[in-house]
Amino acid sequence: LNSVFPNPSNDFSTISLNLTKASTVSVAIYSVDGSLIGSKAYGELNGNMNLPVDMTPYTAGIYFVNVTINGNTSVLKFVKQ
């Protein structure tokens, strides 16, 4: 199960992943209007991972965090206060 916490947040959040095998992971953050505002390719990860997300440059609002693991994308809703 993938999650982002704390949510809502003012500055930094964490994406929590539980990977049961080595997996290629990337993260993309989109604004509510669909604009890509940030992305990072993490390469191959394995196990319980906590990926930091710095939201300080962004204005308050709703964002969508797309977590792609081995080509399968999950979308997490995130609120910046």
Side-chain angles (χ1 to χ4, degrees):
L1 178 65
N2 303 327
S3 63
V4 59
F5 64 91
N7 188 7
S9 175
N10 291 326
D11 47 21
F12 290 89
S13 284
T14 300
I15 298 170
S16 177
L17 305 175
N18 182 4
L19 305 170
T20 57
K21 62 181 180 178
S23 303
T24 302
V25 176
S26 64
V27 173
I29 301 173
Y30 292 88
S31 63
V32 73
D33 69 3
S35 300
L36 177 66
I37 61 169
S39 64
K40 183 170 183 176
Y42 287 91
E44 200 166 272
L45 302 176
N46 193 7
N48 292 326
M49 305 298 301
N50 289 316
L51 309 177
V53 179
D54 179 4
M55 295 299 290
T56 56
Y58 309 121
T59 59
I62 297 171
Y63 295 88
F64 297 96
V65 179
N66 289 16
V67 180
T68 303
I69 301 171
N70 291 334
N72 297 313
T73 301
S74 299
V75 180
L76 307 170
K77 183 178 171 183
F78 176 83
V79 178
K80 161 93 188 270
Q81 291 183 326

